[in-house]
Amino acid sequence: MDDERLKTKTDEEVHEKEPTPVERFLNLFNRFGDLFVLNVYFFVTCLPIVTIGTSFTALYTVTNKMVKNEDGPLTKEYFKAFKANLKQGIILWLFDLLYIALMMVEYSYTFYHSDQISRVLFIAVGAEFFLFALAFPLQFPLLARYDNSALRTVFLSLIMTFSHPGIWFKIFFIWMLPVVLYYTSTKALVYTWYLWGLVLTALFAYLCSMFLIKFYTELEGEGEDPA
């Protein structure tokens, strides 16, 4: 009888702890408020341009904690992550920019020439773009989670893409969906471009983190040591 009373009391306590619909709405509203503030911090720290990579790394660092409900003071968490990843984030971003510039130079040559070199470069650009598309989606999430050099992060991102194609596809799909949407409908861009400056960038990073947390758990559970 005592066991039954204990069980009933425990069940009631658990039930009382369950959030009401109003509480759930308020929690959701607060979360969007956090994403709005995070979005502002992201764009402000992106203004020097060379710090875009660091800003993405800090963004993923905070959204990873938000997904697990382990986030602390938003301002402190973001700028702490920004400072910790400043050097590697800048190096990684500049490496990406140089890589993109190289592809653009090669493509420009193929556009204005029709010789044998242009045909070889056309194939090279295609291969280079393919490698970039494989490496880029996981670069900053990995830098946000693990302490590695910029070049090692690029190398690891390629390894993780080939060994865990599912997580690569999810991250790639989340960020590429609006690109495809805007390419097919210019009206969508006209009506929604300002939302990226308000909340969408942080929201998309948050959605990515929902999948990344499972990826990190699986990766670390396998006993791999990305660091």
Side-chain angles (χ1 to χ4, degrees):
M1 185 68 177
D2 292 336
D3 292 340
E4 291 180 357
R5 290 177 180 176
L6 178 61
K7 183 178 180 181
T8 302
K9 183 177 180 180
T10 303
D11 290 341
E12 290 176 353
E13 290 176 349
V14 172
H15 180 72
E16 290 176 358
K17 293 180 180 179
E18 293 181 357
T20 64
V22 175
E23 290 175 333
R24 291 177 181 174
F25 173 78
L26 291 176
N27 290 337
L28 182 62
F29 184 80
N30 288 333
R31 184 57 78 194
F32 266 93
D34 291 339
L35 291 175
F36 170 78
V37 174
L38 189 59
N39 210 84
V40 172
Y41 289 158
F42 171 79
F43 275 97
V44 169
T45 54
C46 278
L47 290 179
I49 305 302
V50 295
T51 57
I52 291 177
T54 305
S55 299
F56 264 113
T57 305
L59 180 65
Y60 275 120
T61 300
V62 177
T63 55
N64 288 342
K65 293 182 179 181
M66 291 173 69
V67 168
K68 297 176 67 177
N69 291 318
E70 296 177 352
D71 50 310
L74 194 60
T75 302
K76 180 180 178 180
E77 292 284 352
Y78 182 85
F79 286 100
K80 178 182 178 181
F82 185 88
K83 181 179 179 180
N85 296 282
L86 181 60
K87 180 180 178 180
Q88 297 303 332
I90 290 177
I91 294 174
L92 182 56
W93 177 243
L94 291 179
F95 176 81
D96 289 336
L97 290 180
L98 289 174
Y99 192 90
I100 293 172
L102 175 63
M103 288 191 294
M104 293 179 64
V105 170
E106 292 175 340
Y107 180 77
S108 297
Y109 184 91
T110 64
F111 188 81
Y112 292 105
H113 298 79
S114 58
D115 53 12
Q116 183 65 28
I117 296 178
S118 66
R119 287 189 284 271
V120 174
L121 284 179
F122 185 79
I123 297 175
V125 170
E128 291 166 2
F129 181 80
F130 180 70
L131 285 176
F132 183 79
L134 292 177
F136 189 78
L138 292 180
Q139 284 181 6
F140 299 112
L142 287 175
L143 187 60
R145 183 73 172 187
Y146 305 108
D147 184 17
N148 288 296
S149 66
L151 291 180
R152 180 168 171 77
T153 299
V154 174
F155 178 70
L156 286 174
S157 64
L158 285 172
I159 293 179
M160 295 307 152
T161 294
F162 286 112
S163 60
H164 299 77
I167 186 63
W168 171 86
F169 177 78
K170 291 172 183 176
I171 305 304
F172 183 81
F173 177 80
I174 287 174
W175 289 109
M176 284 301 297
L177 180 61
V179 175
V180 175
L181 177 63
Y182 294 152
Y183 181 80
T184 56
S185 175
T186 55
K187 288 184 177 180
L189 177 60
V190 172
Y191 293 139
T192 64
W193 66 268
Y194 62 92
L195 293 178
W196 291 97
L198 293 176
V199 71
L200 283 186
T201 307
L203 177 60
F204 273 52
Y206 184 85
L207 293 175
C208 289
S209 290
M210 295 176 66
F211 297 108
L212 286 168
I213 291 302
K214 297 179 181 179
F215 166 65
Y216 296 143
T217 302
E218 177 185 352
L219 184 63
E220 293 159 10
E222 291 173 354
E224 299 186 32
D225 184 16

